[in-house]
Amino acid sequence: MSALPSPRVEPEAGLPTRVTVYEVGPRDGLQAETDIIPSSVKAELCRRLYAAGSRDLEITSFVPPTWVPQLADAAQVVADVEVPSGARAVALVPNLRGLERAIEAGVREVAVVVSATESFAKANLNTTRAGAIDRAVEVIAAAGAQGIPVRGYVSMAFGDPWEGQVDTASVTSAAAELHAAGARTIALGDTIGVSTPGLTTRVVNETLAAGIPLDGIALHLHDTYGQSLANVLAALRLGVAEFDASVGGLGRCPYAKGATGNLATEDLVWMLHGLGIETGLDLGALAATTEWLSRVRGTRAPSNVARALAAAGLDTAEPGRPEPAQKAATA
Ligand SMILES: CC(=O)SCCNC(=O)CCNC(=O)[C@H](O)C(C)(C)COP(=O)(O)OP(=O)(O)OC[C@H]1O[C@@H](n2cnc3c(N)ncnc32)[C@H](O)[C@@H]1OP(=O)(O)O
Ligand SMILES: CC(=O)CC(=O)O
């Protein structure tokens, strides 16, 4: 299946030639949705994402069901998804209990989350900023002892709904602590989607200056103010080569006041392919996945590209269905 390709140019000098798109749809994308989605649908979502070429997938989180009821079925989803060889299936864990549950379920890679601000540490993790870092460091050590790699998120890295502007030093020091503890990648989270390219450039540069290597930095962007792709471009120009995204643009943290959806995977891939950057992802299969999920749930996804492709009738085919040209010929 092929989608309308984004208009391409020769890759801009200095940009990465390949980017890792770290797919958070099954976890961040679904965590705040209030209609409880059956585990079978979540597992099918993961299968479709792998089939679309995703190799870096965050499939669920092992947090208390009282905190995130939608992901209470984390173990079931893990059990139901066959991870293709060479692909990742990461689970977010908020503490040692979450790590234990994840390992018991068969997870082989986890992510931890801390906050650059006190307000969000309290709202999202029921602790202080320092308490959250201590907890994450504990998880990284325990996971490391079992050979389990850990990804570290620093949330509210670009702005906080209660505190406003965030001191970049509180972002970089949190990132440095996670990195020193052994987190392989530090994902800088624009949890409420307020950053602009100048701020993104500053925070990435200061994270680099704090000793985090370029290949250990990822950006996790929400699109609340429509700035995500501009922020991606700013970061690409610094050499950042890993970006989080959620299929269809779903997602937000239920404990982050004012947050809206993640950067949509289709929108990111449209831009990256247009810049001549490889992702390994099939845009048509991603758009079909968004369409499938919207149909199953009776909702509409925010992704601009998925909507445009569907409106153009170019990429609504399910795998195995005829391509649009064939449909027209047989109509
Ligand atoms: C930016 C983002 O998108 S981040 C992702 C979205 N946000 C989230 O997922 C929320 C994450 N936050 C949390 O999970 C919570 O704040 C926690 C677990 C870190 C702390 O919450 P607290 O209520 O202080 O946890 P506490 O340690 O007191 O435990 C409360 C209960 O939950 C249980 N519990 C704690 N951790 C877990 C876990 N990982 N899984 C299942 N149960 C757990 C405890 O056993 C205890 O049970 P009990 O009442 O029957 O004794
Ligand atoms: C854990 C996350 O999902 C990161 C964030 O939004 O800050």
Side-chain angles (χ1 to χ4, degrees), residues 27-28 31 58 92 112-113 120 153-156 188-191 220 222 253 262:
R27 192 276 300 170
D28 202 351
Q31 68 187 6
E58 197 162 293
L92 181 80
V112 293
V113 56
F120 190 60
Y153 287 103
V154 180
S155 288
M156 299 299 174
L188 300 168
D190 187 9
T191 316
H220 176 101
H222 288 254
C253 175
N262 287 275

Side-chain angles (χ1 to χ4, degrees), residues 27-28 31 62-65 67-68 92 94-95 97-98 101 113 120 124-126 135 155 191 253-255:
R27 192 276 300 170
D28 202 351
Q31 68 187 6
F62 287 84
V63 305
W67 279 76
V68 179
L92 181 80
N95 53 15
R97 175 80 189 108
R101 287 178 58 212
V113 56
F120 190 60
N124 190 48
L125 299 164
N126 198 25
R135 214 186 256 162
S155 288
T191 316
C253 175
Y255 298 102

Side-chain angles (χ1 to χ4, degrees), residues 11 50 59 67 171 179 189 212 244 257 275 277-278 283 298 303 315 318 326:
Y50 284 132
I59 60 170
W67 279 76
V171 178
H179 175 67
I212 319 297
D244 297 6
K257 191 171 69 167
L275 288 166
I277 296 172
E278 281 179 42
L283 185 59
S303 161
D315 191 49
E318 295 279 3
Q326 290 169 283

